[in-house]
Amino acid sequence: MLRLVIVAVGVVIVVSCGAPKPEVTVPAPVAVVSAEPPTAGTGGLVPPQPTLRLPRNFVPTGYTARLAIDPQREDFDGSMQIAGTISELTSVIWLHGKELQVSKAIARRDGVDVPLTVTAVGEDLLRVAAQSPLDAGAWTLTFDYKGKFDVLSTVGAFKQTVADHSYVFTQLEAIYARRVFPCLDEPDNKVPWQLTLDVPKALIAVSNTPEKTVTPLDPKTKRVEFAISKPLPTYLLAFGVGPFEVIDAGKSRHGVPLRVLTLAKRAADGAWAAKTTPIILNALEDWFGIPYPYEKLDQLSIPMTVGFGAMENAGLITYTETLMLLDPQRQSKQRQHVWVRVAAHEMGHQWFGNLVTMAFWDDIWLNEGFANWVETKVTNKVDASYRDDQSGVGLRNEALSEDGLVSARQIRQPIESVNDIFTAFDGITYNKGASVLAMFEAYLGPAKFQQGVRDYLAAKSWGNATSKDFAAAMTKASGKEVEAAFASFLEQPGAPEITATLECKGGKSQLALSQRRYVPPGAPAAESATPWILPICVAYDKGGKRAEACTLLSQPTGALELETKTCPRWVMPNKQGAGYNRNRYTPPQVTALRDEAWAKLTWTERRVLYFDVADAATIGKLPLQLAFSMVPKLLAGNDRFTAGPALELVTGLENFVPADLRGKYDQWIRSTFGPGATKIGFVPKATDTLDTETLRAQLVGTVAWLGREPKLVAEAVKLSDNWRDLPQSIRGLVLVIAVDAKQQVFDTVMKDVVHEGDRTRRQEMLQALAQVRDPVRQKAALGLMLDTKLDIRETRYMVFGGSTEPNRAVAREFFKTNMDTIMARLPKDETASPLAIVSAVFTSSCDAKLRDATAAYVTKTFAKLSGGERIVKQQIEGMDQCIARRKLIEPELRAWLGGLRVPKP
């Protein structure tokens, strides 16, 4: 699944579930919460109410479901048969089910029916009580019931209407299958499904498998029976019903039919998806060495999603509209690339996650970390200029930044409550998981790592697996023991910081190595960490030439011998940036790498060096000017991988610049980066590559927005006269700058946004309005969150748009004043990211004077929400680190800007 990664994502609201009242007295919950399912043979006649995992006195062997789905209705009818095995004499079976009204239930065996009483218990449990005890053996549980379509949160079976066309879609990850079916909604219950849908005759119905039969029921209704699926966990079942346009995308190399299904009258917008799908799928088949494992592949567009962008349902991948449907006339290289990356991610899941599924949610990284990692292996097959093989460093750096919190999760986080499932879909799971895989691929060698993956998939096909299973496969394939090394990164939070000290004596050279957990200023004390078992590979100077050496550091200290007769003039301690660690440098080490080694370093190594130096410079460990001296050298890379990080140091300092020096800061940006921005300009060229497009947005955006360069701002205002007709690559940027710069443009966009029918353009308009810096206009724009003519799922992000502290203060006050109204309209559930992240609106203050009041407010307001305790703790720690960083960096900024002489405009 692809998370929607935005500055922040709304608020969780705890509400009554509206479940029927219990018909009988509910047994008291057991005291111990466990991620392991209770074993069979321990429950007796009446297993106690589960607190997290369902008992295993009944285990399914197959599901047969029939649903009546009409997008014009508010609810649906269902009939479910669960074939399974009862392990011991029992009177009660616990299932999952939420907001399902069961009208009839029986247990059937050998032609004998035993009536069942179904009672809704708590949030999402069904207590299924038999009229007489059920013997051990094979039984089929049958339920007739009704369910409701969700219309806000895009979970379970949900309904959406666009341009007078109504649709029904599903999103069942992580625990939302229980809103559609009575079931055992846990990933290790992986069995075949047979689904039948009764739908309006004029509509198209799709599911995980191909249609088997289509039978008219009456003049208005047809029955679509789908083929029995391969074994699937509940969260991977999916269906869609609506007036879809169908695009034939050809077949895979092994003959699997491929289709793209768009919203009504949007077939032309699905052309890029259809063109690239077979290329991506064939490349993945090549890498895995296993043919695509399902009978067909449909890819389906959804108008609006909450908390996720795409979902890897087996044979029926779903995508939010703005990812999948691209304007064929104005689409940008960036949007094309985003689609390719996301599609590769979701298709990669068909092997990792679908063919082999994690046993429980503590190993969700096996799905998401791997999908993030594997997408970079295949996207270049679509366009070699993407060079996504270089993008892993970006994932690594993002993960290291998130891992800088002492309160960060570990990759394999114990699941002790449902909230832990929701908070598991974060950057640690996705980006750190991918980065750890990349590190061990480099250590074992790509060929042996690939063989380990193939062996793992072959051994666990159609079943479930754990991290230990994966690490064992790597050990067997490579001949290197890596299970303990994997565990050292999976089972504890944080990242190692390596200090490498060159020691030359008696004609011998070695690196003295030490490791400790990276803990930045402002963070609370961290628990002592078990030493990571970390591959250390270095590049170093050997008589004027580059040499390389590796070791495995498993203790707090160690050493690496360097084969050279002379003392190396420089050492790069993280060859190719493959290690998931930070490096601590001294100024002389940085100077040597910058001045002597630079030409012998790869661009990947230059980027990881700069990442460490830039971070250290903002927490007082290295001089800020030393980091600044590397900005031009990184910009010389002249691509999206180098310019972005180089500019991040500059733009990231904005919040720390004292107000009385802001003018100098803006002028320094104009004088330093203005010539390059003016040269590249706003208007794209036919010869632009993905790098050129991205570089234009990064450079022009920095100079025109932060530097307020008059000529670029004027050009943006002029271009905004016909912004809808601009190429997509610059449209959003032009609008952001023009709306901020000119009242008339702001007024026009405010008036038009309510009536804009194109979702992509509407999002660009809302983004521009959210970032306006004038407080009066900002308040007016925030008022759109209360406008019932606009979808709160789109406008909710506006509260995070403030780019300066005065703007963020306006947003905080607006939210406080209108909190009840906003929270009443927000989605009640979210697929992956708990909505308590709205606490970031307040913790972004980075003001020591407001710290205690802010911490108390967000704890009181948001910590009690679903997933909120961990999120609020992390947000408060992030605020404390920001306050500490400001204290350290502000004197250097004053010294630098105070003595800066910049030319007058």
Side-chain angles (χ1 to χ4, degrees), residues 305-492:
T305 58
V306 175
F308 74 102
M311 179 63 205
E312 67 269 16
N313 313 297
L316 180 62
I317 303 174
T318 54
Y319 301 86
T320 192
E321 169 194 334
T322 52
L323 280 174
M324 180 176 176
L325 304 183
L326 307 183
D327 181 341
Q329 302 301 319
R330 298 179 178 85
Q331 62 189 251
S332 66
K333 295 283 195 303
Q334 290 171 299
R335 286 294 298 276
Q336 289 178 343
H337 178 244
V338 167
W339 157 259
V340 171
R341 287 288 296 262
V342 173
H345 178 108
E346 304 306 332
M347 291 185 211
H349 273 309
Q350 305 303 303
W351 287 266
F352 244 86
N354 297 9
L355 178 62
V356 179
T357 305
M358 74 283 170
F360 197 57
W361 298 107
D362 50 356
D363 270 326
I364 187 59
W365 82 277
L366 279 173
N367 288 18
E368 303 300 350
F370 194 92
N372 257 23
W373 176 84
V374 80
E375 68 188 52
T376 65
K377 296 293 183 182
V378 299
T379 54
N380 290 354
K381 297 293 184 180
V382 173
D383 187 334
S385 71
Y386 288 167
R387 298 182 299 127
D388 278 333
D389 52 306
Q390 297 189 36
S391 65
V393 169
L395 297 180
R396 167 195 175 274
N397 293 349
E398 288 178 27
L400 285 170
S401 295
E402 192 163 343
D403 233 358
L405 294 173
V406 168
S407 55
R409 293 172 53 258
Q410 60 198 56
I411 295 178
R412 195 172 189 271
Q413 182 70 37
I415 303 297
E416 298 176 348
S417 71
V418 170
N419 284 344
D420 291 328
I421 298 174
F422 294 142
T423 57
F425 293 85
D426 65 357
I428 295 298
T429 288
Y430 285 73
N431 295 333
K432 184 177 180 180
S435 301
V436 168
L437 290 171
M439 175 173 65
F440 282 102
E441 180 195 26
Y443 174 62
L444 300 178
K448 290 183 178 179
F449 185 88
Q450 183 181 45
Q451 188 59 54
V453 170
R454 291 177 174 184
D455 293 347
Y456 165 81
L457 292 173
K460 297 296 181 179
S461 289
W462 310 116
N464 298 85
T466 66
S467 294
K468 290 184 178 179
D469 296 323
F470 181 78
M474 290 295 130
T475 293
K476 184 177 179 181
S478 67
K480 294 182 179 180
E481 168 56 55
V482 294
E483 295 181 50
F486 259 110
S488 73
F489 282 89
L490 299 178
E491 307 288 350
Q492 64 180 340

Side-chain angles (χ1 to χ4, degrees), residues 501-825:
T501 304
L502 185 61
E503 298 176 346
C504 299
K505 188 175 181 181
K508 294 184 178 182
S509 302
Q510 72 168 15
L511 275 183
L513 303 170
S514 66
Q515 63 164 298
R516 65 177 183 178
R517 181 175 179 177
Y518 172 80
V519 179
E527 295 181 7
S528 57
T530 301
W532 285 270
I533 303 177
L534 174 70
I536 300 283
C537 288
V538 308
Y540 63 96
D541 167 54
K542 185 178 180 179
K545 296 182 179 180
R546 175 182 168 122
E548 297 174 355
C550 293
T551 189
L552 195 67
L553 181 64
S554 60
Q555 299 299 323
T557 60
L560 173 61
E561 298 295 328
L562 304 181
E563 296 182 358
T564 176
K565 296 180 180 179
T566 57
C567 192
R569 297 177 65 85
W570 56 266
V571 176
M572 170 60 203
N574 193 345
K575 189 184 77 153
Q576 296 301 337
Y580 185 77
N581 62 275
R582 293 174 183 263
N583 285 95
R584 186 168 186 175
Y585 294 97
T586 64
Q589 287 174 326
V590 175
T591 301
L593 287 167
R594 182 196 65 189
D595 296 343
E596 298 188 47
W598 194 262
K600 295 180 177 64
L601 302 182
T602 67
W603 274 109
T604 298
E605 290 165 344
R606 295 167 182 175
R607 289 163 60 199
V608 298
L609 168 65
Y610 179 77
F611 173 82
D612 285 327
V613 171
D615 179 75
T618 63
I619 56 176
K621 291 185 178 181
L622 286 175
L624 184 60
Q625 289 286 8
L626 185 60
F628 277 156
S629 73
M630 297 181 69
V631 170
K633 298 184 79 68
L634 208 63
L635 281 173
N638 200 38
D639 62 24
R640 72 186 194 275
F641 300 114
T642 56
L647 292 170
E648 278 175 12
L649 173 61
V650 176
T651 59
L653 293 173
E654 179 192 14
N655 289 333
F656 302 122
V657 173
D660 58 312
L661 294 174
R662 180 58 197 251
K664 277 197 170 185
Y665 173 74
D666 293 352
Q667 180 57 30
W668 180 79
I669 287 176
R670 290 196 294 271
S671 62
T672 304
F673 305 108
T678 302
K679 180 179 179 181
I680 195 169
F682 272 107
V683 181
K685 300 176 179 61
T687 56
D688 282 355
T689 63
L690 172 62
D691 279 343
T692 309
E693 270 194 6
T694 309
L695 186 61
R696 174 179 289 109
Q698 292 167 338
L699 192 57
V700 175
T702 297
V703 175
W705 179 258
L706 283 183
R708 305 175 196 245
E709 206 287 320
K711 292 182 179 178
L712 288 174
V713 171
E715 185 179 0
V717 171
K718 182 178 180 180
L719 288 169
S720 71
D721 289 342
N722 298 294
W723 70 269
R724 284 183 178 82
D725 298 324
L726 293 175
Q728 190 177 51
S729 61
I730 64 166
R731 199 168 61 203
L733 178 60
V734 164
L735 208 55
V736 165
I737 295 168
V739 163
D740 180 70
K742 191 171 182 180
Q743 177 78 47
Q744 183 180 346
V745 180
F746 173 85
D747 292 340
T748 299
V749 174
M750 276 285 289
K751 176 174 62 72
D752 292 349
V753 69
V754 177
H755 308 290
E756 178 59 53
D758 180 80
R759 191 177 301 278
T760 299
R761 287 182 173 83
R762 188 164 65 248
Q763 289 180 352
E764 291 166 348
M765 296 167 82
L766 290 171
Q767 182 184 30
L769 293 168
Q771 295 185 72
V772 69
R773 288 177 283 203
D774 174 64
V776 175
R777 283 187 275 159
Q778 181 192 8
K779 290 178 183 177
L782 287 169
L784 294 174
M785 294 179 67
L786 310 178
D787 192 330
T788 56
K789 295 188 292 294
L790 290 168
D791 194 326
I792 187 67
R793 294 171 294 186
E794 292 182 305
T795 59
R796 63 181 176 147
Y797 302 114
M798 298 186 71
V799 75
F800 300 101
S803 62
T804 68
E805 178 51 29
N807 291 129
R808 288 189 287 272
V810 169
R812 290 193 289 270
E813 187 59 33
F814 174 84
F815 185 86
K816 279 187 175 181
T817 301
N818 299 283
M819 183 174 69
D820 291 343
T821 301
I822 293 170
M823 293 181 74
R825 296 186 63 209

Side-chain angles (χ1 to χ4, degrees), residues 78-323:
S79 176
M80 167 67 92
Q81 296 179 13
I82 311 176
T85 303
I86 293 178
S87 60
E88 61 182 324
L89 185 70
T90 187
S91 292
V92 171
I93 294 170
W94 288 96
L95 300 177
H96 288 116
K98 184 166 184 174
E99 296 184 349
L100 304 179
Q101 299 177 6
V102 179
S103 57
K104 181 181 179 181
I106 59 171
R108 178 171 295 161
R109 180 183 182 184
D110 298 331
V112 176
D113 291 350
V114 177
L116 303 174
T117 300
V118 179
T119 305
V121 177
E123 288 283 318
D124 51 9
L125 293 173
L126 298 178
R127 186 178 187 271
V128 181
Q131 191 176 77
S132 57
L134 306 177
D135 295 329
W139 288 83
T140 298
L141 310 184
T142 300
F143 305 90
D144 293 336
Y145 63 98
K146 282 184 176 293
K148 297 179 180 179
F149 293 133
D150 174 81
V151 295
L152 182 63
S153 301
T154 68
V155 295
F158 59 93
K159 173 182 172 180
Q160 295 189 353
T161 299
V162 179
D164 299 325
H165 295 292
S166 293
Y167 306 82
V168 169
F169 305 93
T170 57
Q171 173 62 25
L172 304 189
E173 191 178 38
I175 57 169
Y176 297 122
R178 61 196 66 178
R179 297 182 179 222
V180 186
F181 312 100
C183 59
L184 289 87
D185 196 11
E186 297 175 5
D188 59 339
N189 287 295
K190 188 175 182 182
V191 297
W193 283 74
Q194 196 281 304
L195 179 66
T196 299
L197 298 179
D198 295 344
V199 302
K201 187 177 181 180
L203 300 183
I204 292 175
V206 289
S207 187
N208 305 84
T209 59
E211 293 178 359
K212 183 179 179 182
T213 62
V214 179
T215 307
L217 295 181
D218 58 48
K220 295 183 178 181
T221 310
K222 63 183 177 183
R223 174 164 292 171
V224 183
E225 180 181 342
F226 297 95
I228 297 174
S229 76
K230 298 292 198 300
L232 294 178
T234 48
Y235 81 90
L236 287 176
L237 195 79
F239 59 84
V241 178
F244 303 118
E245 302 280 345
V246 181
I247 307 172
D248 184 348
K251 292 184 178 181
S252 73
R253 185 182 296 123
H254 293 88
V256 173
L258 312 174
R259 301 190 303 177
V260 168
L261 291 91
T262 75
L263 303 175
K265 301 179 181 180
R266 300 287 301 277
D269 297 347
W272 179 246
K275 177 181 178 180
T276 54
T277 290
I279 302 172
I280 298 167
L281 192 66
N282 289 338
L284 286 166
E285 286 187 331
D286 290 342
W287 196 91
F288 285 115
I290 299 172
Y292 171 74
Y294 300 100
E295 301 91 335
K296 56 95 175 173
L297 176 59
D298 287 340
Q299 298 185 95
L300 179 66
S301 59
I302 300 174
M304 167 72 69
T305 58
V306 175
F308 74 102
M311 179 63 205
E312 67 269 16
N313 313 297
L316 180 62
I317 303 174
T318 54
Y319 301 86
T320 192
E321 169 194 334
T322 52
L323 280 174

Side-chain angles (χ1 to χ4, degrees), residues 807-851:
N807 291 129
R808 288 189 287 272
V810 169
R812 290 193 289 270
E813 187 59 33
F814 174 84
F815 185 86
K816 279 187 175 181
T817 301
N818 299 283
M819 183 174 69
D820 291 343
T821 301
I822 293 170
M823 293 181 74
R825 296 186 63 209
L826 282 169
K828 308 301 187 288
D829 299 285
E830 186 140 0
T831 294
S833 304
L835 301 170
I837 195 70
V838 78
S839 55
V841 174
F842 298 89
T843 56
S844 63
S845 64
C846 199
D847 187 335
K849 296 178 181 178
L850 301 176
R851 190 270 175 203

